Every structure is written in structure tokens, then in C-alpha cells.
Amino acid sequence: MKDLIEIRWHGRGGQGAKTAALLLADVAFSIGKEVQGFPEYGPERMGAPITAYNRISDNEIRVHSNIYDPDFVAVVDETLLNDVDVTKGLSKDGGILVNTEKSKEDIIPLLKGYEGNVYTIDARKISEDALGKYFPNMPMLAAMVKITGVMEEEVFISEMQKSLEHKFAKKPEVLEGNMKALKVAFKEVK
């Protein structure tokens, strides 16, 4: 892992992009990383485009601004590829992760000439199979951890188990479904 990894999340209100960024920061912090996880607020409402950010490092993070030149971008809703310049400032040494059932080859023409790594995952299918509902943030979170290499899969799964056990103590079925979605996403990101 390079010294500082910056991630920008694009989603729509209610899809969990902000939650994914905050969970990633929480889990990275729990293993001793320096972290930032924050949303960019505007006139958010259900379905409106939102942006969230992560910085993860082994060293102190001294910058406190939005992320303009991310190493990685997560696109939780592929319809944003038509509405938002998701590749703006994106490093060609990093990559973009898109939630879609389409192939990488179908997505590349929508990325405004981006020349870096392109990853896809069908977070809809994974979440619906694991949870019975469409919550794309957990599969997207696991896929982002895998492609960035910010931590090993086993460490991530273990720390997420602890975090979610606390959050869903009275809803074991939600815990089980989320853990299944995380594990499947690690295997299915392309």
C-alpha cells in the first residue's frame, strides 16, 4: 500500500455511499491506520447524487479538504456515469469500481477516456441474494478494500464482524446477511 490512499465515493442519497466511507474509516482505524471518512454535503435528498471520501494512511494525515485527485473511485449507482464526471482527477495508477451487471468492456466507453484500472461488481445481485433487499454499500465496501489493498481480507472480515455485531446486536439476520454480502463481494469483483 502506498503511504496515503484517497478514495472518492459517488452514489445517490439512500444507497449507503456515506455509510460505506464511514465504515471503511472505522475499520481501518481499528487496525491502527490514520483515517478520514466524510461526506460532502449539499442539498441531499433520497436519490440525489452524493459524494463521500476516505483517506487512509500509516502516517499522520495533515490535509483536511475534499479529495480532488483520488487514487480510487467507487460508483455505487451506474446511472451517475451519465450525470457526474466520476473520473475527474482520478489517478490512472489507481482505479474505478462500478456497481453494474454490465461487463468492464461495456463500462469503459462511459468513463470519458479514463485509462486506469476498471473494476465491476454486481452489488445489486449480491445484496439481494444475501439480504433480500437492495443495499449496495456492503458489497461495494468489500470490493473497494480488495482493489485498494488497504488491508487483508481476513482482517477486514474480522473487524467488520466486530463492528456489525455491535450495530446489529438485536438483528442477527441483518448481521449474517451483511457478512455474507462482504465475503461474496471479495470473490466476485472483476
Side-chain angles (χ1 to χ4, degrees), residues 9 14-24 74 76 97 99 121 123-124 127 131 133-144 156 160 164 168 178 181-182 185:
W9 297 79
Q15 292 179 325
K18 174 185 135 184
T19 300
L22 296 177
L23 280 170
L24 179 54
V76 181
L97 170 66
N99 173 18
I121 188 163
R124 173 179 295 278
S127 67
L131 295 159
K133 295 181 180 175
Y134 181 46
F135 294 114
N137 60 338
M138 286 302 186
M140 292 294 291
L141 173 58
M144 185 54 71
F156 172 71
M160 282 300 297
L164 295 177
F168 298 120
N178 277 296
L182 292 170

Side-chain angles (χ1 to χ4, degrees), residues 15 36 71 82 99 115 126 131 142 157 159 188:
Q15 292 179 325
Q36 292 178 358
D71 300 297
N82 302 317
N99 173 18
E115 297 176 355
I126 293 169
L131 295 159
I157 295 296
E159 292 301 318
E188 293 198 11

Side-chain angles (χ1 to χ4, degrees), residues 27-149:
V27 171
F29 181 77
S30 73
I31 63 165
K33 302 279 187 189
E34 295 292 321
V35 299
Q36 292 178 358
F38 56 98
E40 178 179 6
Y41 284 108
E44 276 73 31
R45 61 194 180 284
M46 188 68 77
I50 66 102
T51 309
Y53 305 93
N54 284 112
R55 284 190 179 94
I56 302 170
S57 179
D58 289 325
N59 301 311
E60 182 180 0
I61 300 171
R62 295 180 178 267
V63 62
H64 299 281
S65 66
N66 288 347
I67 296 172
Y68 303 104
D69 299 307
D71 300 297
F72 294 91
V73 164
V75 181
V76 181
D77 187 320
E78 74 177 292
T79 65
L80 291 170
L81 298 174
N82 302 317
D83 301 336
V84 177
D85 185 1
V86 297
T87 60
K88 185 175 183 179
L90 178 57
S91 169
K92 68 178 181 178
D93 297 326
I96 185 167
L97 170 66
V98 180
N99 173 18
T100 182
E101 62 184 16
K102 296 175 184 165
S103 72
K104 170 182 163 178
E105 292 72 27
D106 291 335
I107 294 299
I108 289 174
L110 304 174
L111 300 179
K112 302 184 190 299
Y114 177 66
E115 297 176 355
N117 294 312
V118 177
Y119 303 90
T120 62
I121 188 163
D122 190 347
R124 173 179 295 278
K125 181 179 184 325
I126 293 169
S127 67
E128 287 177 348
D129 288 350
L131 295 159
K133 295 181 180 175
Y134 181 46
F135 294 114
N137 60 338
M138 286 302 186
M140 292 294 291
L141 173 58
M144 185 54 71
V145 168
K146 181 173 183 176
I147 69 172
T148 60

